[in-house]
Amino acid sequence: MKTAIVDYGMGNLHSVLKSVQAAQALSGKAAEIFLTDRPEDILAADKIIFPGQGAMPDCMAALRQSGLGDAVEDGLKNKPFFGICVGAQLLFEHSEEGDTTGLSWFKGRVKRFAANQTDAHGGRLKVPHMGWNTVRQTRPHPLFKDIGQETRFYFVHSYYFAPEAPETVLATSEYPHEFACIVGKDNVFATQFHTEKSHDAGLLLLRNFLDWQP
């Protein structure tokens, strides 16, 4: 089983690689896990992990300039596929960040958190949303195996998913209003939070992905 982590120059790539390798050790199943910037490697892989970090316009430009876009889109259609953070945002039709067109796998937009929002106690909420936050699963999914409701994951983002199709929302979080933080459809699963920064819960999610056969 070959799992490719897409290297288009815009992600916390070595941390992602180490966390996937740790997740593979939890799984106990043989797997070849590697970073790659070669389209042919992505086309030959059995599973794809698509991370991202930074501004979405830069990430989308880097994806196109690298020549990896077609291989990534092939993976979206044909293989178990895991998008992380901006790598998940790129799967939507459009982002308010830089008025950017995405890959349009999910219908909907990526929107910026409103400024000057407050929490339940009147404290001002900063943008970006940064730190640990609870995640509420809204639909069952094989990747939630051994992960309880209200598990905390680590977020760093100023923009959030706004999917058009409610059935694609697998989990939500709040800041201060509810927003989708995990989406999925068919063979594709994507998280707004950073699995590689989410300690044990993030490793379980990645382990479940490595075990997943949609």
Side-chain angles (χ1 to χ4, degrees):
M1 183 69 67
K2 295 182 178 181
T3 299
I5 301 170
V6 182
D7 177 5
Y8 57 108
M10 302 296 294
N12 194 14
L13 296 173
H14 290 286
S15 292
V16 174
L17 175 62
K18 288 180 180 179
S19 64
V20 179
Q21 290 171 334
Q24 189 271 331
L26 282 179
S27 172
K29 296 179 181 178
E32 181 182 349
I33 299 160
F34 55 94
L35 287 172
T36 183
D37 60 2
R38 291 158 38 98
E40 57 268 36
D41 291 343
I42 296 168
L43 291 170
D46 301 295
K47 299 187 176 188
I48 296 172
I49 296 175
F50 187 52
Q53 189 166 299
M56 184 162 162
D58 295 338
C59 289
M60 195 68 197
L63 179 65
R64 294 303 189 196
Q65 291 165 8
S66 69
L68 295 172
D70 288 345
V72 167
E73 292 193 51
D74 178 81
L76 283 167
K77 296 173 184 175
N78 298 304
K79 300 171 183 178
F81 190 105
F82 196 137
I84 301 172
C85 195
V86 179
Q89 293 180 358
L90 288 170
L91 305 182
F92 283 84
E93 294 173 299
H94 184 269
S95 175
E96 292 180 355
E97 186 175 18
D99 191 24
T100 306
T101 299
L103 297 174
S104 300
W105 180 256
F106 294 109
K107 290 188 175 182
R109 301 170 68 83
V110 177
K111 298 183 177 181
R112 183 174 172 82
F113 284 116
N116 300 319
Q117 295 192 100
T118 58
D119 61 22
H121 306 289
R124 185 174 177 180
L125 293 174
K126 297 179 180 179
V127 178
H129 168 215
M130 184 181 299
W132 294 89
N133 207 345
T134 55
V135 169
R136 183 177 67 86
Q137 300 165 25
T138 57
R139 296 176 184 273
H141 194 279
L143 268 66
F144 293 149
K145 180 183 177 183
D146 299 329
I147 300 173
Q149 278 287 19
E150 307 298 325
T151 296
R152 291 165 66 84
F153 290 87
Y154 192 83
F155 291 80
V156 182
H157 62 126
S158 299
Y159 295 80
Y160 64 94
F161 313 144
E164 283 187 13
E167 63 271 18
T168 64
V169 179
L170 300 178
T172 62
S173 192
E174 293 183 356
Y175 195 73
H177 307 296
E178 185 178 76
F179 67 92
C181 65
I182 305 179
V183 291
K185 181 175 72 171
D186 302 329
N187 56 300
V188 178
F189 185 94
T191 69
Q192 178 59 71
F193 51 81
H194 286 273
T195 53
E196 76 280 6
K197 297 180 181 179
S198 295
H199 300 329
D200 292 346
L203 291 180
L204 285 173
L205 208 55
L206 290 169
R207 179 206 67 183
N208 293 341
F209 174 71
L210 294 175
D211 290 342
W212 187 32
Q213 297 295 336

